[in-house]
Amino acid sequence: MGHTAMPWAVIIGMPGAGKTRVGREAASILHVGFTDADIQFEHDMGMKIPEFFEQYGEAEFRRAESELVCDLLSSLDGELLSLGGGAPMTERIQQELLRYIERGGRVIYLQADPKEAMERARRGGNRPMLAGDADERWKGLFKQRHPVFSALANAHIRTHGSTPQMAARKLADMISEKDVHIEGSGIEPYEVFIGDGAINHLSQVLGEEPVRVALIHTQPVQRHSDKARALLRQAGYQVTDIVIPDAEAGKTIAVAGGVWDRLGDAGFTRSDAIVGLGGGAATDVAGFVAATWMRGIRYVNCPTSLLAMVDASTGGKTGINTALGKNLVGSFYTPAGVLADMRSLSTLPNDIFVEGLGEVAKSGFIMDEKILDLLEDHAQALREYNAESLESEEFKAIVAELIERTVRVKAYHVSSDLKEAGLREFLNYGHTLGHAIEQLEHFRWRHGNAVAVGCVFAAELSYILGYIDRDLVDYHRSLLSSLGLPISWNNGSWEDVLALMHRDKKARGNALRFVILYDIGHPVHLDNPPVEAVEEAFRSIQQ
């Protein structure tokens, strides 16, 4: 496939929103070119827009403008393009923008505070559409254009109270971020945004219907929940702040019950919403509460750990634990969006970052070999991760690519099989033993670490049964340990492990069921293998 020229992003917005100033500044942060369609128009026509209006009228201006914009959309390559305030109202331009979005383009609606925008529009002059009582005309245009711009754009930025430099940084972050689209049968389509400042999509993803938003988070992520709360309040939502216990201690029926009580007291209705912010356990509980309150209300996940970004927050599994096991109570319920803001990784301790690599590696083993190459090439930097690591643009780009690829693996399996009848089960590679370890360790072992040992166990089982050769088992061991992940576990009896494996959610009736490999990228289901082989594989991960 040849490369098709297209702008990196297109900026739309009301007169006075700062499209030119902020766009130019963002282009300089990103080291790319910037084109303003209005300036280009005046250059091509050899006259100012008000003059053109006066001589030829608005209809002719809109015709000539749409010629120019359509030409720019297919000829600019990798630049930022800002459009005149009324351009997206022209049907031909709308169609071209939708085509541009289909090709992977980003149309960003820059929303300024109306007072600020009117003030700037008045100062700027040169705006024939605002002739007469400029403020009244602006309000009238806003009423017409806002719904169209909101529906057309696939990214929204609010610049209320920001300096042009702050707004430009927001814009640059949004343009550089990665975006994985998730759709499939039985799934309302949604986006996973990955990048610095991804949390800025919060009000866009929640939409205008909710009045109340419950922000469910844990104590350790206070700094990130403060940011989310400020964004929600700025956007006009009434925020109910709910702190739940950290990690698996938060995933209980008692905690969920407490949250239901808070929602009831605050008068939450079916049209209100929930934001889950924190690690995988927090997003699991928030999703479970959202799925069960009034039989399902809108929710958004803001994962703050690597594990939650690549695993728990995407895919629509929600759940809580019971005394008998992990995630035995839950539902399949997809979020309205997932905002994986990479800035939140900078507060993660090393061991919690490394744990997340267990799920990343698993996704490499079952589908995407490029993940394994990236892990292998950057093992030392990943293993030695600390708060300063993300200051390196190169390191940040590697982590972003790992997250994006892992989310794509998950999206592929989930979109074909939301309810886990077949394909989705492949995501459980390493999980049958992993969940047993977590249970027997009373959740003192982190999920990603338990999955790493579980992957070695599954590889050993694949080898014992003749599916793979010894080299691939050794590769599991060497890659996972080079990342600082455990590859052995020696704290439970075979009888206990076997009993828990029988209770695993993936078991069918009394039959044991595993996911094993017959090559990298080729997982298979294994029903009821000889119990001696399973025991032999288990012995091989004991030191």
Side-chain angles (χ1 to χ4, degrees), residues 176-247:
S176 324
E177 76 192 1
K178 296 167 183 295
D179 169 6
V180 181
H181 181 70
I182 298 191
E183 60 180 21
S185 55
I187 298 178
E188 280 283 306
Y190 64 96
E191 307 295 321
V192 180
F193 294 106
I194 303 155
D196 281 355
I199 198 155
N200 289 319
H201 288 281
L202 203 43
S203 60
Q204 172 197 340
V205 177
L206 283 167
E208 293 180 4
E209 193 186 9
V211 174
R212 298 166 198 81
V213 174
L215 177 60
I216 299 176
H217 64 95
T218 57
Q219 200 58 54
V221 295
Q222 193 66 47
R223 186 203 301 188
H224 312 305
S225 60
D226 288 348
K227 167 83 176 158
R229 193 179 312 104
L231 286 168
L232 290 168
R233 290 213 171 114
Q234 253 172 29
Y237 302 109
Q238 293 171 24
V239 185
T240 299
D241 196 76
I242 302 177
V243 183
I244 61 170
D246 194 28

Side-chain angles (χ1 to χ4, degrees), residues 237-311:
Y237 302 109
Q238 293 171 24
V239 185
T240 299
D241 196 76
I242 302 177
V243 183
I244 61 170
D246 194 28
E248 299 295 330
K251 285 182 62 169
T252 66
I253 192 73
V255 169
V259 178
W260 290 322
D261 289 345
R262 291 284 306 276
L263 298 182
D265 289 344
F268 269 64
T269 68
R270 179 165 270 172
S271 58
D272 293 321
I274 284 176
V275 172
L277 185 142
T283 58
D284 274 358
V285 179
F288 178 68
V289 167
T292 47
W293 183 255
M294 301 211 166
R295 297 197 180 90
I297 65 173
R298 195 170 182 80
Y299 82 109
V300 177
N301 274 333
C302 301
T304 56
S305 70
L306 178 60
L307 183 77
M309 288 179 186
V310 298
D311 184 39

